[in-house]
């Protein structure tokens, strides 16, 4: 192996000839090369001859001794052309996706630049290529419709440090190569063109459940595939004019949407559109588009090139909220492509089939609301988490959503039959008839259950022994309010105020917050609404606030009341908005993530000062003010004797309490099912807390997923809880359960179980339900 930067005058090529050593200089850029590639396309010759001329031109342009093209054929990456490696290896060297450095680039669809490739652990030596004398490597995926169809690689003998400009240049060339392959300009061979087409075989994919439910329908692509027929520009000034005109048209469209928002969208979409407007007027983004055109691309190809860079950046970012901001920019690029194609309107939303299943890489909440809710049956996302905005809105609309289904868009075509099983986080594409029949039977049973729950809407939430149970719903967006009437719930037990902050491009002002809270209170009427103050920080980072520092464990980090007590102005503005919104009405305020009594006292003092401020200004105050705390941190339970005299109510946050009680990250895939909510320790702890609150005469409610499942809700009633807050979709099943339950009998049964050494009490509780006719 050679080291350093010493270069031989004429290194030997693997085929015995002499390789010409290019002069080290700054790469000239892709513009001249794109012009030469267009000439190569017009020349005669076989696919091997034409590809050979292509790689020679690339090697010269990139100042590299080696340039190679690998194309995906029959699940293998086949060496199709090379300049610098042994020519006898062409069509003989093959790599599996994931094998070697080339396979790694294909597997992850991302560039790789190495000054010493042979020391990389993924390096796979292929002796027939003669590449052992080449140290540095730069490779990029060849992408078509965001599917990897090959890899483009350049190599140098020296340990060369490639720069970002070289990566961008090679990516631009790879994009042009992809169009040449797809259009048949290089191949003339159907099996090579076929690598750009989606398969037609049935397949199943797993993901993450973002919104439960079941749907059978037809694939609709949220991002319509806009094929760019021409990538290399004939007239660069003309392409700039086309780009500027399309940008102006797109900006006008976004501005018009803001001036006349759809009255049915109730405000959240306007906030997201403000974000689009901010990006649409971003000078940096426009400058990148102009630079891509300057390199020799058409306006459409320039948008695709910059969009590809955005998607590459998205892959490297772990922060879900920064990724959502980049997803907004990604969506904006799709809108711009539509304007360049003369189709400024989203045809997918306009021509929706009656049983549409929407597939997208990522979506914002306003985009989901663009679709006809009567026709939209389900959503499948390649990205997305349970706290993503689109998941929150989908749950409010009872639309099943599965996220994290990587690569699914590359494997489907519009019109394919698809099954979305949100309950089990599975997607079935082009399923066999017997699979469809099985799911249709499940869907019919589900719809019958929903009809039964709707018919029981007016039935009181009273157990067989006459115990009155208060069923409340969780909410966080204005579109959730309709569920109050649909379910006939007793009120809103948890209103997550942070969701209004998360769907906005900037911090909402006091006036905007006041308007939202007033609308919620007015809609609820006499039914109570418990407003939880901001629970941000940790994994819920507001895009306009940014992270202060990285946290090893965000769930136990600087979040919720810890953050707002450190930033009292943020909390004071929110409390002021709540107080003014509840003028002359009852107001219920709850502080999250309280770990000790002193934190509650400090937050309560801020609230009391805002009340005094209104009094001093002779402004109306709430008719009644109730102040409570979330019990999520186990440490607070041991201070209940000191806390309970200070609060009006307690709400148990079962989600965080569960992970803190067991020191178990609820988002960790290896720990997700390790501990059961129906364990003796969890139920025993809750039983003790309920008894403490009952002795002090303070109402206690459980908010969280634990109260939304009938068997868990049954256990909660058995340990003494009489107030549950849950997603609106859970009210029907839980009400049906409690109306078949005798609470004293269950309480007696459970009294002997709290000290059990078993991992879980689920089996015993299910047996009790069967023997006593409880519907779970």
């Amino acid at each position: 192996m050679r080291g350093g930067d010493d270069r031989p005058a004429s290194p030997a090529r693997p085929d015995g000839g002499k390789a010409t050593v290019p002069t080290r200089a700054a790469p000239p850029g892709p513009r001249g090369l794109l012009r030469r590639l267009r000439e190569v396309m017009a020349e005669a010759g076989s696919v091997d001859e034409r590809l050979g001329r292509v790689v020679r031109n690339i090697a010269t342009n990139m100042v590299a001794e080696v340039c190679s093209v690998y194309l995906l054929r029959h699940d293998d990456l086949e060496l199709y052309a090379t300049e610098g490696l042994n020519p006898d290896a062409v069509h003989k060297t093959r790599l599996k996706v994931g094998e070697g450095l080339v396979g790694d680039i294909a597997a992850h669809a991302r560039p790789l630049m190495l000054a010493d490739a042979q020391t990389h652990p993924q390096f796979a030596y292929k002796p027939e290529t003669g590449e052992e004398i080449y140290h540095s490597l730069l490779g990029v995926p060849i992408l078509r419709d965001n599917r990897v169809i090959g890899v483009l690689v350049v190599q140098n003998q020296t340990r060369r440090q490639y720069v970002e400009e070289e990566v961008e240049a090679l990516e631009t060339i790879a994009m042009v190569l992809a169009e040449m392959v797809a259009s048949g300009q290089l191949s003339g061979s159907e099996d090579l063109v076929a690598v750009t087409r989606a398969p037609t075989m049935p397949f199943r994919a797993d993901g993450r459940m973002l919104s439960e439910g079941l749907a059978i329908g037809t694939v609709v692509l949220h991002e319509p595939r806009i094929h760019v027929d021409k990538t290399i520009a004939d007239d660069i000034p003309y392409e700039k004019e086309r780009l500027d005109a399309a940008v102006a048209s797109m900006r006008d469209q976004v501005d018009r949407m803001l001036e006349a928002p759809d009255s049915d969208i109730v405000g959240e979409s306007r906030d997201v559109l403000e974000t689009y407007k901010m990006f649409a007027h971003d000078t940096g983004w426009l400058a990148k588009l102009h630079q891509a055109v300057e390199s020799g691309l058409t306006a459409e190809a320039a948008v695709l090139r910059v969009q590809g860079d955005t998607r590459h950046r998205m892959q490297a970012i772990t922060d879900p909220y920064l990724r959502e901001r980049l997803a907004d920019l990604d969506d904006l690029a799709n809108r711009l492509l539509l304007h360049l194609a003369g189709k400024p309107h989203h045809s997918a939303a306009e021509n929706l089939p009656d049983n549409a299943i929407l597939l997208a890489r990522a979506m914002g909440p306003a985009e989901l609301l663009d679709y006809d809710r009567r026709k939209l049956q389900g959503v499948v996302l390649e990205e997305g988490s349970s706290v993503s905005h689109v998941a929150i809105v989908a749950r409010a609309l009872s639309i099943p959503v599965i996220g994290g289904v990587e690569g699914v868009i590359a494997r489907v075509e519009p019109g394919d039959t698809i099954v979305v099983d949100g309950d089990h986080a599975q997607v079935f594409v082009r399923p066999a008839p017997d699979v469809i029949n099985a799911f249709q039977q499940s869907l019919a049973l589900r719809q019958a259950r929903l009809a039964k729950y709707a018919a029981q809407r007016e039935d009181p939430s009273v157990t067989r022994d006459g115990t009155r149970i208060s069923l409340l719903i969780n909410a966080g967006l204005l579109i959730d309010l309709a569920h109050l009437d649909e379910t006939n719930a007793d009120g809103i037990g948890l209103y997550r105020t942070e969701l209004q902050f998360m769907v906005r491009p900037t911090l909402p002002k006091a006036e905007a917050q006041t308007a939202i809270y007033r609308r919620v209170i007015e809609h609820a009427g006499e039914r109570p609404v418990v407003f939880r103050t901001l629970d941000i920080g940790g994994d819920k980072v507001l895009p306009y606030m940014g992270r202060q520092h990285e946290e090893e464990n965000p769930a136990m980090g600087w979040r919720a009341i810890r953050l707002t007590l450190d930033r009292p102005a943020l909390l004071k503005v929110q409390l002021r908005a709540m107080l003014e919104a509840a003028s002359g009405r009852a107001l219920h305020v709850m502080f999250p993530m309280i770990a000790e009594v002193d934190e509650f006292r400090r937050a309560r003092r801020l609230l009391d000062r805002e009340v005094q401020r209104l009094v001093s200004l002779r402004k109306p105050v709430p008719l009644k003010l109730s102040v409570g705390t979330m019990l999520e941190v186990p440490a607070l339970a041991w201070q209940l004797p000191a806390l309970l005299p200070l609060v009006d109510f307690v709400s148990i946050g079962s989600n965080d309490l569960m992970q803190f009680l067991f020191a178990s990250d609820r988002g960790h895939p290896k720990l997700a099912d390790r501990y059961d909510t129906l364990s003796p320790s969890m139920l025993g702890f809750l039983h003790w807390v309920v008894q403490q609150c009952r002795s002090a005469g303070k109402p206690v409610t459980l908010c969280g997923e634990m109260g939304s499942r009938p068997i868990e809700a049954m256990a909660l009633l058995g340990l003494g809880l009489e107030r549950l807050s849950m997603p609106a979709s859970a009210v029907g099943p839980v009400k049906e359960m409690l109306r078949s339950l005798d609470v004293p009998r269950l309480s007696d049964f459970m009294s002997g179980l709290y000290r059990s050494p078993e991992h879980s009490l689920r089996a015993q509780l299910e047996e009790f339900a069967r023997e006593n006719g409880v519907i779970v």
Side-chain angles (χ1 to χ4, degrees), residues 561 589-604 627-653 685 688-690 692-700:
I561 199 66
V589 178
M590 178 168 63
F591 298 115
M593 195 69 178
I594 297 292
E596 59 181 9
V597 174
D598 184 63
E599 288 177 332
F600 176 81
R601 292 168 62 188
R602 290 167 59 194
R604 179 64 195 255
V627 186
T629 178
M630 291 285 287
L631 198 163
E632 304 161 279
V633 182
L636 186 63
W638 310 117
Q639 284 196 292
L640 281 177
L643 174 72
L644 291 174
L646 305 178
V647 301
D648 298 305
F649 62 90
V650 172
S651 289
I652 300 171
F685 181 85
W688 181 79
V689 169
V690 171
Q692 294 293 310
C693 293
R694 180 174 292 174
S695 297
K698 299 299 170 73
V700 57

Side-chain angles (χ1 to χ4, degrees), residues 478-680:
L478 295 177
I479 54 176
D480 293 326
L481 300 182
H483 298 313
L484 264 178
D485 300 321
E486 292 170 3
T487 61
N488 198 28
D490 295 315
I492 297 176
L494 172 62
Y495 192 89
R496 300 182 178 97
T497 59
E498 64 272 5
L499 299 188
Q500 297 290 345
F501 287 69
M502 289 162 56
V503 300
R504 290 171 177 261
T506 59
L507 185 72
K509 295 181 180 179
E511 296 80 8
Q513 293 185 52
T514 302
I516 291 169
Y517 303 147
R518 181 178 290 122
R519 187 166 177 179
V520 174
I521 293 170
E522 289 175 350
H523 186 98
E526 298 301 316
R527 290 170 289 190
V529 178
V530 179
F531 291 99
R532 184 178 69 185
T533 61
L534 282 174
D535 185 2
I536 56 172
D539 62 346
K540 288 187 279 190
V541 179
L542 301 182
Y544 41 82
M545 291 182 64
R547 287 190 183 273
Q548 299 299 309
H549 52 80
E550 290 298 321
E551 296 182 289
E552 291 188 8
N553 194 333
M556 294 192 291
W558 192 57
R559 54 169 282 210
I561 199 66
R562 299 168 179 177
L563 186 152
T564 52
L565 285 177
D566 288 350
R567 292 190 173 181
L570 190 65
L571 182 56
K572 285 193 292 185
V573 169
Q574 184 179 36
L575 294 173
R576 186 175 303 171
M578 290 179 183
L579 290 167
E580 294 188 6
S583 173
R585 296 172 179 266
L587 175 64
H588 305 265
V589 178
M590 178 168 63
F591 298 115
M593 195 69 178
I594 297 292
E596 59 181 9
V597 174
D598 184 63
E599 288 177 332
F600 176 81
R601 292 168 62 188
R602 290 167 59 194
R604 179 64 195 255
R605 280 197 294 268
L606 289 174
L607 176 58
D608 290 340
R609 287 172 191 162
E610 290 304 317
V611 173
Q612 291 303 315
R613 173 184 171 274
L614 288 177
V615 172
S616 65
L617 294 174
R618 299 181 184 276
K619 288 187 175 183
V621 296
L623 185 64
K624 179 183 178 182
L625 178 61
S626 299
V627 186
T629 178
M630 291 285 287
L631 198 163
E632 304 161 279
V633 182
L636 186 63
W638 310 117
Q639 284 196 292
L640 281 177
L643 174 72
L644 291 174
L646 305 178
V647 301
D648 298 305
F649 62 90
V650 172
S651 289
I652 300 171
S654 62
N655 296 356
D656 271 336
L657 178 62
M658 177 78 179
Q659 69 172 342
F660 296 151
L661 193 65
F662 288 102
S664 175
D665 183 355
R666 61 180 176 173
H668 196 296
K670 292 186 180 296
L671 299 178
D673 301 318
R674 191 179 187 92
Y675 303 103
D676 195 344
T677 53
L678 296 182
S679 68

